[in-house]
Amino acid sequence: MPHLSFRDKRFAWYVEAPLLVVGYFAFGLARAAVDRGDPAATDNALLVQGLERFLRIAVEQPLNQAMTGHPVAIHLTGYFYRLSVVAVPIILIWLYLTKKEHYGRLRTALVVMMLADVLLVWAFPEAPPRFAQPGIVDHLAEYDILFSAESRVPRPGVNLLAAMPSMHVAWTTWCGYALWSTLRAHRPRLAWAAWAFPALTAIVVLVTGHHYVLDILAGVSLVAFGLVVAKRSAGMSQPSVSSPCSPP
């Protein structure tokens, strides 16, 4: 019988679904629990702003201001930002039902990403541009898109100072990788088109004032880390196979 590691294991749906739902809510609570607040978050935001100016990649303010006076574009980017994360459970369900051989590895990578994010948020709290950068307009809150005005109000169970890394970019990059890795053999054009999703997300988080360029790069790196850990954990769990010529 072939060995089945935890990375590849696909539990029954009535086990997987509750575990993932509980895990998601625990992730949010853990993020809130490690909130170190100001001045650390604002100090780190100023550090990121300075580093981006040095690297000549500080594009947040001109992109954000380009949206001013364009309510249609603001609403489109606002709805995209608020709803893009819905793709994660949709793709998980699709993988579970149709790509069983890929599900365990990709699910494990997702879990590793979220655990690592909590550590990063604790180690490097960061205020987003909409809170810490002069001239940035919080368009979503201004138009109150899908209750976005409430996203500026501190409340229990929510960490508003956790912009590094961008989990919107991390989640949608995971989605893009999941589609690309499972479809590239049979539907290569569709597989490559999947990368448009995280690319568009990166633009959206910049124009809405939610993240810096470095947050985006950190989000992509987080996905790479999760995938590497998932792959290596599978390799470590593989049983050694004796040579057929070895003595008993």
Side-chain angles (χ1 to χ4, degrees), residues 6 44 112 154 184 207 239:
F6 172 76
N44 287 336
V112 171
R184 58 180 172 168
V207 302

Side-chain angles (χ1 to χ4, degrees), residues 48 52 57-60 63 206 211-218:
V48 168
E52 289 195 351
I57 57 173
V59 298
E60 297 85 5
L63 289 176
L206 289 174
H211 289 285
Y212 301 97
V213 173
L214 291 180
D215 301 339
I216 292 170
L217 297 178

Side-chain angles (χ1 to χ4, degrees), residues 191-216:
W192 283 106
W195 291 113
F197 185 34
L200 184 57
T201 304
I203 295 172
V204 167
V205 300
L206 289 174
V207 302
T208 57
H210 281 81
H211 289 285
Y212 301 97
V213 173
L214 291 180
D215 301 339
I216 292 170

Side-chain angles (χ1 to χ4, degrees), residues 140-221:
L140 273 68
E142 187 178 59
Y143 285 82
D144 197 16
I145 299 172
L146 294 179
F147 311 104
S148 293
E150 297 178 4
S151 68
R152 296 187 65 88
V153 181
R155 58 191 185 278
V158 177
N159 187 347
L160 299 178
L161 305 175
M164 173 72 80
S166 169
M167 283 308 291
H168 272 75
V169 170
W171 280 323
T172 55
T173 300
W174 176 88
C175 291
Y177 178 83
L179 293 172
W180 175 78
S181 62
T182 56
L183 297 176
R184 58 180 172 168
H186 305 292
R187 305 188 69 179
R189 290 184 179 179
L190 182 60
W192 283 106
W195 291 113
F197 185 34
L200 184 57
T201 304
I203 295 172
V204 167
V205 300
L206 289 174
V207 302
T208 57
H210 281 81
H211 289 285
Y212 301 97
V213 173
L214 291 180
D215 301 339
I216 292 170
L217 297 178
V220 174
S221 300

Side-chain angles (χ1 to χ4, degrees), residues 85-130:
V85 296
V86 177
V88 176
I90 291 174
I91 290 179
L92 272 173
I93 293 170
W94 174 72
L95 289 170
Y96 185 90
L97 295 176
T98 67
K99 304 292 180 181
K100 300 177 182 179
E101 69 277 16
H102 298 282
Y103 174 82
R105 172 177 60 91
L106 292 168
R107 180 255 285 124
T108 299
L110 184 65
V111 172
V112 171
M113 285 163 46
M114 295 168 73
L115 290 173
D117 171 76
V118 173
L119 292 176
L120 290 171
V121 167
W122 170 78
F124 195 84
E126 180 196 88
R130 64 195 181 110

